[in-house]
Amino acid sequence: MNRKISKTFFAAVMGLAMAGSTASCDHLSSEGGNDVALFDADSVKKEITVNLTSDSISPTCTLHMNIMYSKSDSLKEANSRLISSGIITPDYFSIGGGMTDIPMAVDSFVRRYVAEYQRDYRSLYEVDKKNFDSYNIVYDVNTSIKQGRKGIVIYTAEATYSSGALHETQTLVARNIDMDKKAVLTLDDVLVSGSEKFVTELIVKQLCSQYDTEDIKQLNEKSIFSGIDPYPSTNFMLEPDGVTFIYNADEIATHDVGRILVKIDYSDINPYLKERI
């Protein structure tokens, strides 16, 4: 019987974002400001290819990664929050308080991920060799930091994933680091309690402008928020001029629509922010 690779595995690997062994600082944004300098960035890099089997010709899993972190002692907890907040999935580090040593954490992640790839798919491949390419994985992750609004460093992870079984998928994950509080902010930290309805209305209004539509019904006709209620994404950036909500491909629209970014100017969203700009 022809067995297909688990979609759950590939959904999990989409968030895979940490590995490395050599250091550099070459992914600082050109928008870097004082907060970026205070972040004191370093990075770990890793490129690794492993075989699924010991055969002379075997499917492979290839990882290319460049992952940034802060060298500052005051941001150790922020490093831990980053690595266990969806920047990297499967989330091996949320249990037990996470890890603050990022190079050690990323090496641990890679070892575990590779072991699970070989363990979970070797037996499937042995009875499904005619679908050889389906078991090949290539995953690239690059992270960067840039200046957000005053006091905020925006950390982003851009990932590209491909296999013989699925179309190439790109994801963008963003986290906002409050440099005063030394904390990674959630949407609940940013929005006034009870304001979600009003922020959602701003998002729908902006989407209508971006897609030349009049209302949510016409957005639905373009597959946007079709069959689901609109909502503010917890994947967002506190940029200098506004809040950008990120919706990756397949999240709120069909795959052909691609990634959707919705920026709301601070002049519009300020009434709903705990800290107004």
Side-chain angles (χ1 to χ4, degrees), residues 22-37:
T22 62
S24 81
C25 297
D26 57 359
H27 282 269
L28 293 177
S29 167
S30 60
E31 301 175 28
N34 290 336
D35 294 309
V36 168

Side-chain angles (χ1 to χ4, degrees), residues 9-10 13 60-62 113 117 135-139 161-163:
F9 177 84
F10 288 117
V13 79
T60 59
C61 173
T62 299
Y113 177 76
Y117 167 73
Y135 297 86
N136 283 323
I137 294 172
V138 178
Y139 197 78
Y161 170 83
S162 63
S163 78

